Amino acid sequence: QYLNMAKRGEQSHACEQMLGFVTEAFKEASNLQKRIEQRRSELDKHKSQLLLRSLKERGIKIEKETSSAIKPSNIVKLNVGGTKIDVKRSTITRFSSKLKWMLSGRWDHIYKLDNEGRIFLDYDAGWFDPIINHLRELTMQDPTIPIRQPKASHGDQFGFRQLQKHLGLEKLFSSEGEVEAGVMKPWMQAVLAGTIVTTLEADGRDCEFRLLHRGSRDGFECSKVQSKSAGVVNSITIVRDTEGNVFGAFVDVGRSFHEQYIESSKAFLFHLSSRGSQDPKLYKVYPVKADQKHTAVRGVRACCAVLGAGPDLSISNACNANNESSCHLGTTYENYGSPHALTNGRVNFQVAELEVWQVKLELVGAEGVKDANRRVPTKSASLLSELTRRVKDIDSCVQELLGEGVRLQQEEENLIEDGRDLDDEMEYMEKMEEKHKAQEIIFFNVGGRKHYTTKQTLSLIKGSKLYMQYASGQVQVPETDLDDDGDIFLDINPYCFGKILSQLRLRRLY
């Protein structure tokens, strides 16, 4: 649009409009940054107030000058039904859940402690331990190694599933969550749209992305991918490999798969994400070399997609089941000194997900350009060339602003979500506070094994001997029935006693 204005002799007005847009974008980004800082400050202050209240309730004194920087202890020491478990607080709080709320450090004062000062949780360790171990694996996950869904021992499976629901973790443990649905994120569409609109000199006001094919839904066989992408103008092939890298290709011309090259001067390869990160600053474009446009796209029947004569990027048949796909930039597409930049230094890769999209947009009318060209005097050619250079400089600035804007918007959305999560945490934990404060721990030594529970759990069946002897308050436990630690000693089968406690705890979870 701006170039057409220039061709009509409106160079100054075109530049003024573009510079005005950039100035407004800078202002908007600055205002957004201020809102984010204010929101983060308010949220941090609220969390600090809750933490300080919890520390005071536990009798821990905090100096005023250090109160703003106080943080909960890094390691959480738990006693889960008599089993000691230590875990980093960051492992527990990485994912939003009721477990995160419970052990955020802001509510430690509501829990009963065992004789060693550990937070007591009245769950079966056989249910809780696999949950903690799965969270640990997710924290240290290597993207190249898929994580299997955790399983408890055969007799603990039902309680394990019920505790997942109770702690708000069922989605995290769902098999559907093993592979993140979809590769193309909104911020990726935004940065790609900016490049495509600039490359094609298109009207970006009506830029629409339409999903044509998704490997996990429609198949990874090349015949299925080709059937959706053949002849499609302005298509994007985007993949996420098993290491979490996201990259792909934009092709402006319709593709065919008849073992021949298709010329394009506007196709480009791109890198969006490394190892699962969501940072728009990592976005980079690798355009076709000026003298290699005749080898931009290659139609190969046996592959999902082939770009460049190298090939610079090749996506194999059944690409999710092998590592025959490859990346070696530099023959047809620029590589800027890094031939394997798309895949973080690897030549071959295996695809975890593949998508084909079509981008619908309105190109600048060819006839309008021709008419404008007729009206441009020859002496204006140098001015137009200078304007084109300036437009490219400004566009580079616009792309940088766009990436920063997307990052800031994501940061603000994360803070808003964090605020909602804190509100939900307060509502849930305030309801739980009275229940936990009313708990009384009963310490059993059953045949040499520690089984700890609460009077509230034993009270679920009030006619039982367990309730009458140890939870009703009507019977005093004689000192001869206590071990050296002061725990109630029961000379019975510890396995059977554990199963009885499991059934009582299941009733409570329901």
Side-chain angles (χ1 to χ4, degrees):
Q1 285 178 330
Y2 296 127
L3 288 172
N4 284 338
M5 291 173 66
K7 289 173 182 177
R8 294 194 297 269
E10 303 172 9
Q11 292 93 340
S12 297
H13 186 50
C15 280
E16 285 176 9
Q17 282 204 351
M18 290 191 74
L19 289 171
F21 167 78
V22 173
T23 302
E24 288 301 313
F26 268 117
K27 288 180 181 178
E28 187 175 346
S30 177
N31 291 334
L32 183 56
Q33 183 68 55
K34 290 178 182 177
R35 288 205 310 270
I36 288 171
E37 290 172 358
Q38 182 178 358
R39 190 183 295 274
R40 184 186 292 109
S41 175
E42 292 171 353
L43 195 59
D44 289 344
K45 182 179 179 180
H46 195 180
K47 289 180 178 179
S48 295
Q49 289 173 343
L50 290 172
L51 179 58
L52 285 170
R53 186 195 68 165
S54 180
L55 293 171
K56 287 178 181 179
E57 289 275 350
R58 293 161 57 197
I60 299 175
K61 294 183 179 181
I62 302 297
E63 299 291 336
K64 284 187 177 180
E65 56 267 23
T66 62
S67 61
S68 60
I70 193 68
K71 293 181 180 180
S73 58
N74 184 39
I75 299 174
V76 185
K77 295 182 175 293
L78 302 173
N79 182 326
V80 183
T83 300
K84 298 175 184 178
I85 296 177
D86 294 352
V87 60
K88 281 189 175 181
R89 201 178 297 271
S90 57
T91 299
I92 295 172
T93 57
R94 182 181 178 189
F95 303 98
S96 180
S97 67
K98 291 176 182 176
L99 180 63
K100 171 189 173 181
W101 302 341
M102 291 165 57
L103 299 176
S104 64
R106 296 183 282 271
W107 306 93
D108 287 1
H109 64 284
I110 75 173
Y111 296 106
K112 297 295 182 181
L113 307 179
D114 70 3
N115 297 329
E116 297 181 7
R118 293 174 173 272
I119 293 174
F120 178 72
L121 299 177
D122 195 12
Y123 305 133
D124 272 31
W127 308 341
F128 192 79
D129 213 30
I131 289 175
I132 293 298
N133 284 333
H134 186 58
L135 294 177
R136 287 169 175 150
E137 288 183 14
L138 291 173
T139 300
M140 58 188 294
Q141 179 180 5
D142 182 342
T144 63
I145 303 174
I147 292 181
R148 294 182 179 181
Q149 289 301 304
K151 291 184 179 180
S153 62
H154 180 71
D156 291 325
Q157 276 295 328
F158 185 70
F160 172 57
R161 290 195 297 270
Q162 292 302 314
L163 187 57
Q164 289 174 28
K165 295 178 182 178
H166 177 73
L167 298 176
L169 289 164
E170 63 269 28
K171 290 184 179 179
L172 188 63
F173 285 75
S174 169
S175 59
E176 296 177 359
E178 288 186 17
V179 178
E180 181 186 4
V183 180
M184 185 80 78
K185 306 304 177 190
W187 73 265
M188 295 179 180
Q189 290 188 9
V191 295
L192 284 170
T195 304
I196 293 168
V197 167
T198 303
T199 302
L200 301 182
E201 297 180 17
D203 184 348
R205 291 172 296 181
D206 297 313
C207 190
E208 176 188 347
F209 284 69
R210 185 164 70 93
L211 179 64
L212 302 179
H213 182 93
R214 175 172 289 154
S216 59
R217 181 190 69 189
D218 306 315
F220 291 90
E221 295 81 6
C222 61
S223 59
K224 294 180 179 178
V225 177
Q226 292 173 11
S227 67
K228 297 292 182 66
S229 56
V232 176
V233 177
N234 298 331
S235 67
I236 293 175
T237 301
I238 182 171
V239 301
R240 181 177 64 243
D241 68 15
T242 51
E243 287 200 347
N245 303 306
V246 177
F247 53 90
F250 168 77
V251 177
D252 62 314
V253 294
R255 278 188 274 182
S256 64
F257 298 89
H258 301 300
E259 306 297 333
Q260 60 186 11
Y261 285 108
I262 304 171
E263 181 176 328
S264 172
S265 61
K266 297 183 178 180
F268 60 84
L269 304 182
F270 58 84
H271 174 86
L272 282 161
S273 176
S274 295
R275 294 184 177 272
S277 65
Q278 298 290 317
D279 186 356
K281 290 183 179 179
L282 297 176
Y283 175 57
K284 193 162 186 177
V285 173
Y286 302 87
V288 173
K289 293 181 178 180
D291 60 347
Q292 293 295 325
K293 61 183 180 181
H294 60 285
T295 62
V297 186
R298 185 179 175 187
V300 179
R301 294 189 185 94
C303 292
C304 295
V306 176
L307 286 300
D312 294 58
L313 177 64
S314 173
I315 303 174
S316 68
N317 180 41
C319 52
N320 65 320
N322 60 65
N323 67 342
E324 296 173 7
S325 300
S326 65
C327 166
H328 199 290
L329 304 175
T331 304
T332 299
Y333 293 83
E334 299 287 355
N335 67 11
Y336 304 116
S338 181
H340 314 304
L342 303 185
T343 51
N344 257 344
R346 299 177 67 201
V347 177
N348 295 98
F349 61 91
Q350 183 175 347
V351 173
E353 183 63 287
L354 175 148
E355 293 174 350
V356 178
W357 293 74
Q358 183 179 25
V359 183
K360 293 191 172 183
L361 37 71
E362 182 179 341
L363 298 179
V364 175
E367 291 187 4
V369 173
K370 289 178 182 178
D371 291 340
N373 282 335
R374 293 193 191 102
R375 293 194 296 270
V376 177
T378 305
K379 64 181 181 180
S380 299
S382 60
L383 289 174
L384 185 58
S385 175
E386 173 63 16
L387 177 63
T388 302
R389 185 189 64 77
R390 293 178 64 186
V391 165
K392 286 182 178 179
D393 290 342
I394 295 173
D395 181 66
S396 176
C397 183
V398 168
Q399 292 301 317
E400 185 176 343
L401 272 172
L402 180 61
E404 180 67 8
V406 171
R407 185 191 68 77
L408 289 172
Q409 285 179 343
Q410 279 192 314
E411 189 174 352
E412 185 179 41
E413 288 172 6
N414 291 339
L415 283 171
I416 292 171
E417 185 61 33
D418 198 9
R420 290 172 182 159
D421 189 66
L422 185 60
D423 290 340
D424 292 341
E425 173 187 319
M426 291 182 61
E427 182 181 355
Y428 176 77
M429 293 306 299
E430 284 171 357
K431 291 178 182 177
M432 299 300 294
E433 185 168 359
E434 291 303 317
K435 293 182 181 179
H436 281 284
K437 283 186 174 180
Q439 284 185 348
E440 291 185 53
I441 305 176
I442 302 178
F443 303 90
F444 287 110
N445 176 342
V446 186
R449 296 184 189 176
K450 300 294 186 181
H451 284 281
Y452 298 167
T453 186
T454 62
K455 284 187 176 181
Q456 286 72 17
T457 296
L458 297 184
S459 299
L460 290 172
I461 303 179
K462 288 190 164 55
S464 68
K465 288 185 179 180
L466 277 175
Y467 167 73
M468 295 301 297
Q469 289 185 343
Y470 306 113
S472 66
Q474 300 175 14
V475 179
Q476 183 71 30
V477 180
E479 290 189 11
T480 55
D481 287 350
L482 302 180
D483 67 8
D484 294 340
D485 296 328
D487 298 347
I488 299 169
F489 180 77
L490 299 179
D491 193 15
I492 59 177
N493 188 318
Y495 174 82
C496 294
F497 185 80
K499 291 302 177 184
I500 292 171
L501 286 185
S502 295
Q503 290 300 314
L504 293 174
R505 288 167 176 152
L506 275 174
R507 286 196 178 201
R508 196 185 72 245
L509 291 183
Y510 272 122

